[in-house]
Amino acid sequence: MDGLELRKLKKDMIRLQEGDINALESIYESTRRGVFSFVLPILRDYDKAEDTMQQTYVQIYEKIDQYDKSKNPQNWILTIAKNLALNEINKDNRELSTDFMDAVNGDRVFSFDRNEYDTPTIDLANKILTPSEFQIVMLFAVGEYKHREIAEILNLPLGTVTWKYSSAINKLKKALKEGNYER
Amino acid sequence: MNDKEIKKLLNKEGKVMFSSSFDAVKNKLENSPKYINQKASTPDVVLEKKPNKKITLATKLTLGLSSIAIAGIVCAVVIPVSMNNSKIAPSAEALCDVDVSCPATNESAKFAFDVNEKGKVNLNSIYPKNELGKKVVSGLKNHYTGTLPTAVDEFTITVVKYVYTEVDVKGQNLISQTENGFCIIHTKGPGAADSDFNTKYQQKIVDGLNQELPNQKLTVNVLADTQTYGTLINDMLLARKSELGDFVNTLFVQDENIIEGFEPNEQFLKDASIDEINDCLNKLQDIYNHIPFDKNLASFKKDLENFEYVFENRRLELFEGRATLETAAKKLWGNKPFDEFNKLKTPFDDNKIPSPFWWKNDFNKEGDLSSIAQYNFPYEQLKYAEYVLNSKEDGGIQEKDPWMEQIDNPVIYLMNAYNKCNELITRNQNFFARVFDYMPHRKNILKNIGDKYPSCLENGKFWSDEDYWTDNINYWNDYWK
C-alpha cells in the first residue's frame, strides 16, 4: 500500500468513525486481499479464512470507536483479523496458543479443499513451504504488501522476510520445474 | 519460470481466490447490534446493495492436499557442550564471574573478567578460576587481542565446538558457529536474537543439546561476537594477517565494532583503480584457496550464506528505498527532468508556503496529515528515507550527512536521499560484485566443495549459486524499471 492509498484508507476510517457506514465498503475493497492473505496461512482453511475475513470487517465497524487515528490503520485491521483467526483456532479445540507465531507455525492440518477455484500455485506453495514462508509469500505476492510492511506486520527483521521470501520462491521454482503440480 | 513470473502467477490466482464480494459482509452486518441500532436511529444510513458478480469457475485441481506431513529433520552434526548458567553481570565496575558448565561431563569453566569504564572487556583482565577456565581464556587470547568491544550486558559467553545453528520462532538466528569452532551468539546486528534470548531461548537450546547429546565431551573455544557477516572474512584474514601485511588494511578496514575485525574499505573501493582492485582480488583469491575445506565445512557454508544474504538484503532495501524516494520526489516535482533537482530553490509557489519551515511542524505531528495533504507532502517517504539512510548496518550512513539536518525543502531532501541511495547501491554492488559475484574463482571454490562434499549441495548447487543471483538481479532490475 503506497502513501496515497494509506492516506485514503485513513480518511475512510475516519469517515466510518464519524458514522458514514458506506466507508466500510471502501475499506473492504482496499484491504481485503491483505486481510485474506494474512489469515489464510494462520487458519489454513479456505472457508474459515473467508469467514474470518468477512467477520473482520464487521468487527472494524463494531470497534471503530476504538480506532486511534494517529495509528496505522492497516496494522489495526490486521490485529483484529489476527485475533479473530486465533479465536477461530481456539474454537477448534486444538492446541491453544496465545502466541501468534506459535499458531502460525503450528502443524495443523491444512484443509484447502474447495470446489470452485483453480489455484494450483498457491496450493503448491501451501504444500511445500514452511508455514512462515507460506505466509510471507501470500502477503507479498497476493496481499501485495511490501517486504518492509510484512516485516512490520509479522514483527520480523526485514532481512528475515526477504531471506524467507527468496528461499520460498526458490523452492517453488524448483517444484514447478520438476512438474510437481498439476494445472 | 523466474521469480517475477511466479509472483505474477500467485497474484493472479489470488485474485480468483479473493473474489468474495462485500455483500457477504453486509449480510453479517445485519446481525450486528450496532448496525441494527444505527439503522433504527438513522434510517438513511444503510449500506447500498450492488449486484453480485458471477465468478468464472475453473477446473478443480486435486493435489491431495488434505494433509501435510511436516517432517522435522535435524541434520546437524553436533558435538556439543553447553552453557548453563552463563551469567554476566551488567555492572560496568564489578569483576564479573562467568560459570560455563557442561552438564554432560559435569565440568565447568570458571573465569572472571573486568569491565572498563567504557563497558568493554580487556582480554588481559580475564582471569581463569579453574582448569577449564584456563583453557577458555587461553582460547580467547589465542584468537583475539585487544579489547572486546561489546558492552557486557549485550553478550553471552558460551563454550562450544559444534556445527549447529539454532533459530528462534521468529526465524532469527540465535547461535551459530564459525569455521574455527567459535560460537557466535547473535546479540545485535542482522539476525540478532531478541532481548529475551537469555531467558527463554537460551534455556531451550541448552535443553535441546542436553537431550540430544548427553554424552559428548566438552571441547573449547568460545566467544560472543556481534556481527554475523564479518566472521567469514575476519577469520580468514586474521588467520593470515601477518602473511598478508597491508593488504587486509587496504581492502578492508579494521572496525572496532567487530572483535578485531574488518569491514569493506568503502573509500578504497570507491577510489581504487582497476589494477589496484584486481591486485586485491588476486590476493583474496589466494586466501580462498587456503580455506580449510575439510574443517567444519557446513559452518563455512553457513557463514558464506550469511555474508551474502546480509549484503543482499541491504542492497534490496536500498533498491526499494530508492524507488520510494524517486516516486515521492516525482510527485512533488512533476515531470521536470531530474537533473534539474539540484538547481531547485523551492518547488512551490511562494504563496503556497506559509513559512520556510511550514512543513516541519506538521512533520512532527504523526498521524495528522490533513493540514499538509494539500501539498501532497510525502510524509511516509521522508520517514522511510530516514529509515533507509540511517540504517547503521551493512553499509548505511554511519553519521548523518549535513544535508540531512537541514531539511528546509522536502524535494531537495528527497533528491539527496535518492542520490545517497544510488551511491550506496553502487558501493554495495561494486564491492559485492567484485569480491563474490563475478569472481570466477568463487565458482571453482563452490565446485571444489561440491565435488568433495556433495551433501552440501541441493540438486548439485548451492542456493547462492549463479542462478540465484541472476534471477534475483533480474527481478530487482525489473522491479526498478
Side-chain angles (χ1 to χ4, degrees):
Chain A
M1 189 170 274
D2 66 27
L4 279 179
E5 288 168 330
L6 191 61
R7 276 207 288 276
K8 184 177 176 307
L9 178 60
K10 281 181 178 174
K11 278 184 186 166
D12 287 337
M13 295 289 281
I14 291 166
R15 272 174 59 207
L16 185 64
Q17 207 166 38
E18 289 168 350
D20 181 359
I21 195 171
N22 284 306
L24 189 62
E25 183 163 7
S26 180
I27 293 168
Y28 174 83
E29 291 301 335
S30 62
T31 58
R32 69 192 171 113
R33 281 166 67 89
V35 171
F36 194 97
S37 60
F38 182 68
V39 296
L40 181 64
I42 301 174
L43 292 164
R44 319 203 82 184
D45 181 301
Y46 179 82
D47 292 333
K48 283 179 184 165
E50 189 175 36
D51 189 57
T52 301
M53 177 194 70
Q54 291 159 2
Q55 199 59 39
T56 298
Y57 294 92
V58 176
Q59 282 291 305
I60 290 169
Y61 170 71
E62 293 270 354
K63 307 288 184 192
I64 191 67
D65 292 341
Q66 295 171 20
Y67 167 66
D68 176 351
K69 61 185 176 185
S70 69
K71 297 282 166 54
N72 184 332
Q74 263 192 137
N75 291 350
W76 189 74
I77 290 169
L78 291 180
T79 303
I80 290 176
K82 179 181 78 179
N83 290 337
L84 288 172
L86 291 175
N87 284 345
E88 190 61 38
I89 291 170
N90 290 345
K91 242 192 323 189
D92 277 356
N93 212 14
R94 295 180 189 280
E95 186 179 339
L96 300 186
S97 172
T98 53
D99 185 296
F100 169 55
M101 288 310 290
D102 281 352
V104 171
N105 290 322
D107 57 354
R108 282 168 291 108
V109 174
F110 196 163
S111 162
F112 216 49
D113 192 21
R114 59 195 185 285
N115 295 323
E116 34 185 17
Y117 303 114
D118 185 0
T119 56
T121 321
I122 291 176
D123 293 351
L124 177 68
N126 168 53
K127 185 182 176 186
I128 65 171
L129 302 182
T130 64
S132 61
E133 283 173 346
F134 182 51
Q135 180 152 53
I136 287 168
V137 164
M138 290 294 285
L139 287 170
F140 184 73
V142 180
E144 298 182 348
Y145 289 105
K146 292 174 181 168
H147 284 130
R148 179 169 47 86
E149 292 174 313
I150 297 169
E152 196 181 327
I153 290 166
L154 299 180
N155 193 24
L156 291 173
L158 181 61
T160 303
V161 171
T162 51
W163 164 264
K164 287 195 171 189
Y165 180 74
S166 289
S167 161
I169 290 295
N170 282 337
K171 281 186 193 172
L172 273 175
K173 209 188 295 177
K174 186 178 154 193
L176 289 168
K177 201 173 178 180
E178 290 169 355
N180 189 16
Y181 87 131
E182 304 165 28
R183 285 199 65 91
Chain B
M1 195 176 284
N2 63 29
D3 293 13
K4 202 175 180 185
E5 286 166 337
I6 292 176
K7 188 191 165 197
K8 269 186 189 166
L9 199 57
L10 289 164
N11 189 272
K12 192 177 161 191
E13 289 179 13
K15 281 180 180 155
V16 177
M17 189 178 248
F18 304 138
S19 55
S20 158
S21 83
F22 186 62
D23 281 347
V25 177
K26 288 177 192 168
N27 291 336
K28 283 190 161 62
L29 268 179
E30 297 288 343
N31 298 322
S32 154
K34 183 178 171 183
Y35 182 65
I36 293 167
N37 285 341
Q38 189 175 7
K39 214 161 64 164
S41 59
T42 50
D44 293 342
V45 184
V46 290
L47 285 164
E48 297 152 6
K49 293 267 183 185
K50 287 181 182 173
N52 280 335
K53 283 182 187 172
K54 177 87 178 165
I55 300 163
T56 306
L57 302 185
T59 313
K60 184 192 172 195
L61 177 81
T62 306
L63 273 177
L65 293 182
S66 57
S67 67
I68 296 173
I70 298 177
I73 300 170
V74 178
C75 53
V77 179
V78 187
I79 309 168
V81 225
S82 194
M83 55 273 193
N84 272 350
N85 305 320
S86 305
K87 289 175 184 170
I88 300 174
S91 163
E93 293 170 9
L95 199 63
C96 302
D97 277 312
V98 182
D99 183 347
V100 188
S101 64
C102 174
T105 60
N106 287 327
E107 285 181 282
S108 179
K110 293 183 178 177
F111 53 96
F113 57 83
D114 206 353
V115 181
N116 66 20
E117 67 281 1
K118 291 178 183 170
K120 296 183 178 182
V121 179
N122 191 307
L123 280 172
N124 293 323
S125 306
I126 299 184
Y127 310 102
K129 295 176 85 173
N130 68 359
E131 281 304 309
L132 201 54
K134 275 184 194 170
K135 287 186 185 174
V136 172
V137 174
S138 164
L140 289 177
K141 288 184 177 175
N142 283 340
H143 196 74
Y144 297 117
T145 55
T147 58
L148 308 180
T150 316
V152 265
D153 58 348
E154 287 181 346
F155 70 86
T156 302
I157 293 179
T158 187
V159 181
V160 286
K161 183 179 179 185
Y162 58 78
V163 180
Y164 186 82
T165 294
E166 178 76 21
V167 178
D168 72 12
V169 290
K170 292 180 180 174
Q172 295 172 318
N173 291 335
L174 292 181
I175 126 179
S176 59
Q177 186 204 15
T178 73
E179 78 264 34
N180 289 336
F182 279 68
C183 173
I184 295 179
I185 306 267
H186 305 282
T187 52
K188 66 178 190 179
D194 281 347
S195 55
D196 60 353
F197 163 75
N198 286 324
T199 55
K200 188 174 174 185
Y201 298 117
Q202 185 180 34
Q203 192 55 48
K204 184 181 153 199
I205 293 167
V206 170
D207 292 345
L209 287 175
N210 289 344
Q211 197 177 348
E212 280 186 44
L213 304 144
N215 299 315
Q216 300 294 336
K217 258 207 154 184
L218 176 67
T219 18
V220 179
N221 282 328
V222 170
L223 198 53
D225 195 351
T226 58
Q227 305 252 356
T228 310
Y229 74 89
T231 54
L232 170 67
I233 278 196
N234 286 341
D235 286 350
M236 288 191 304
L237 294 179
L238 281 167
R240 304 188 63 210
K241 190 179 176 187
S242 58
E243 183 186 340
L244 290 164
D246 288 341
F247 162 68
V248 291
N249 292 325
T250 306
L251 189 57
F252 301 93
V253 289
Q254 279 185 277
D255 180 353
E256 279 192 1
N257 291 319
I258 303 174
I259 299 172
E260 186 72 8
F262 302 92
E263 283 201 320
N265 185 343
E266 290 190 350
Q267 194 59 44
F268 169 76
L269 289 167
K270 194 176 168 189
D271 299 338
S273 69
I274 295 295
D275 286 345
E276 286 171 318
I277 292 282
N278 281 338
D279 185 42
C280 282
L281 289 181
N282 287 337
K283 287 176 179 165
L284 194 61
Q285 181 173 312
D286 186 46
I287 295 174
Y288 280 114
N289 277 333
H290 292 84
I291 290 174
F293 288 130
D294 54 348
K295 189 178 175 188
N296 292 323
L297 185 75
S299 173
F300 163 72
K301 176 176 173 261
K302 185 76 190 164
D303 279 343
L304 186 65
E305 288 177 353
N306 278 342
F307 185 80
E308 290 181 348
Y309 102 81
V310 168
F311 267 82
E312 174 63 357
N313 286 340
R314 177 65 183 151
R315 200 172 68 88
L316 299 187
E317 197 175 68
L318 288 168
F319 263 107
E320 193 181 357
R322 182 173 68 173
T324 307
L325 300 177
E326 191 196 43
T327 305
K330 276 181 174 169
K331 275 180 189 165
L332 288 174
W333 182 232
N335 294 320
K336 298 172 190 177
F338 254 38
D339 56 9
E340 288 184 23
F341 257 112
N342 290 329
K343 302 174 194 165
L344 195 63
K345 299 273 191 231
T346 169
F348 303 110
D349 295 333
D350 287 344
N351 62 2
K352 281 188 181 174
I353 305 175
S355 81
F357 298 101
W358 60 271
W359 61 272
K360 233 178 186 178
N361 295 327
D362 288 313
F363 183 66
N364 293 327
K365 291 177 191 169
E366 190 168 353
D368 182 11
L369 301 174
S370 54
S371 64
I372 54 176
Q374 59 183 309
Y375 300 108
N376 196 19
F377 187 77
Y379 171 83
E380 298 288 341
Q381 285 83 353
L382 275 180
K383 293 277 281 183
Y384 190 51
E386 294 201 319
Y387 162 73
V388 170
L389 297 173
N390 281 335
S391 173
K392 291 190 175 181
E393 293 160 4
D394 323 320
I397 296 173
Q398 298 295 316
E399 300 295 334
K400 277 194 173 183
D401 277 13
W403 57 264
M404 294 183 76
E405 299 290 353
Q406 296 165 9
I407 311 171
D408 55 1
N409 183 319
V411 176
I412 291 174
Y413 181 90
L414 285 170
M415 204 52 211
N416 277 328
Y418 168 83
N419 288 333
K420 184 58 76 176
C421 271
N422 263 342
E423 189 185 323
L424 291 173
I425 287 170
T426 308
R427 278 192 212 167
N428 273 341
Q429 281 182 322
N430 284 351
F431 168 72
F432 200 23
R434 284 165 170 167
V435 175
F436 283 110
D437 278 347
Y438 305 134
M439 190 172 148
H441 182 68
R442 182 169 170 274
K443 283 171 78 175
N444 292 334
I445 291 171
L446 295 177
K447 185 176 179 305
N448 289 340
I449 296 173
D451 288 347
K452 198 167 180 180
Y453 303 96
S455 62
C456 287
L457 307 179
E458 287 176 14
N459 286 337
K461 284 185 175 178
F462 284 96
W463 74 268
S464 51
D465 221 339
E466 205 171 61
D467 283 353
Y468 170 82
W469 289 106
T470 307
D471 286 348
N472 226 8
I473 288 165
N474 288 342
Y475 174 82
W476 285 102
N477 283 343
D478 287 346
Y479 178 90
W480 174 230
K481 281 174 195 168

